[in-house]
Amino acid sequence: MPIDFAVISWATFATFVIASLVLAITPGPAVVYILTRTVTQGRQAGLASVAGVALGNLGNALGASLGLAALLAVSAVAFSIVKFAGAAYLVWLGIQALRAKARPDGAADAPRDAAARIFRDGFFVALLNPKTAIFFAAFLPQFIDPAHSALSQSLLFGALFVAVAGTTDTVWVMAASVAAPLLSRHESARRAGRYTTAGVYFGLGLFTAMGGARKGA
């Protein structure tokens, strides 16, 4: 379905961008995940995580537009399945971090094959978060004009939010990549980084599993 940009006023567009920017710069689980990747594995790993998370969020925005969020909002079983799948994936990443050997160059940029795996991880971390789909379902309708196609408008706003969040996440990566080399000079810092990384993933997994439960679920 083609998107008619003319149905969205500049005032609505500007308000949405500002609201999205405020939400995007607020550190949340996705930002913590991206920063952890950047500090421990380098800027390329951080940027690969940003791309993966952005694609996962875009999938959630599409799902919200097509009604997936409505299903998750009313079905305790569907919500729990997706939520615990995401939590299990984060825990698996934590185990992988503990098993990884310390790298002599600390936070050097990741090779291409590693970047592809990191992109995949970021994609699933974002996609397997039912709260993101529900967020889109709650946030996007505030800016939709009911006189025009709700689907086309929600798709546009969803993509716009993902673009804004991807931009702010990239800024976080660039800032973190400046501090990473300073930490990588010390063996104790590199060793502590592995345990910190694993702890972050375990914590995010626990947060995902325990948080956001639906009432009556």
Side-chain angles (χ1 to χ4, degrees):
M1 177 180 298
I3 299 175
D4 185 1
F5 295 94
V7 305
I8 301 175
S9 69
W10 281 108
T12 300
F13 182 85
T15 301
F16 180 84
V17 170
I18 293 172
S20 299
L21 183 61
V22 171
L23 291 171
I25 63 176
T26 303
V31 172
V32 172
Y33 170 79
I34 290 167
L35 289 178
T36 300
R37 284 291 196 184
T38 304
V39 171
T40 58
Q41 295 178 272
R43 180 166 52 189
Q44 185 177 349
L47 293 175
S49 297
V50 170
V53 167
L55 185 60
N57 284 337
L58 189 60
N60 275 314
L62 177 61
S65 299
L66 297 176
L68 174 61
L71 171 63
L72 294 175
V74 300
S75 172
V77 174
F79 185 92
S80 296
I81 288 174
V82 177
K83 180 178 70 172
F84 286 117
Y89 196 81
L90 285 165
V91 170
W92 180 80
L93 291 179
I95 294 173
Q96 293 297 105
L98 286 177
R99 295 175 58 186
K101 294 181 179 179
R103 296 168 54 189
D105 59 349
D109 281 347
R112 180 174 298 179
D113 59 338
R117 290 194 299 271
I118 293 169
F119 173 86
R120 176 203 63 193
D121 290 342
F123 170 74
F124 283 115
V125 164
L127 187 67
L128 295 176
N129 184 355
K131 290 180 289 185
T132 304
I134 292 175
F135 161 77
F136 280 121
F139 180 62
L140 299 183
Q142 312 303 318
F143 301 89
I144 291 176
D145 183 350
H148 301 280
S149 171
L151 177 59
S152 61
Q153 291 178 81
S154 61
L155 289 173
L156 171 62
F157 283 129
L160 182 59
F161 181 89
V162 170
V164 171
T167 300
T168 59
D169 288 345
T170 300
V171 173
W172 280 112
V173 168
M174 294 304 177
S177 64
V178 174
L182 300 177
L183 298 176
S184 67
R185 294 175 184 175
H186 304 284
E187 177 63 29
S188 59
R190 292 200 298 267
R191 189 182 307 111
R194 290 173 54 210
Y195 293 106
T196 300
T197 300
V200 168
Y201 290 147
F202 290 144
L204 289 175
L206 181 63
F207 177 83
T208 300
M210 302 298 294
R214 291 179 54 251
K215 294 181 179 179

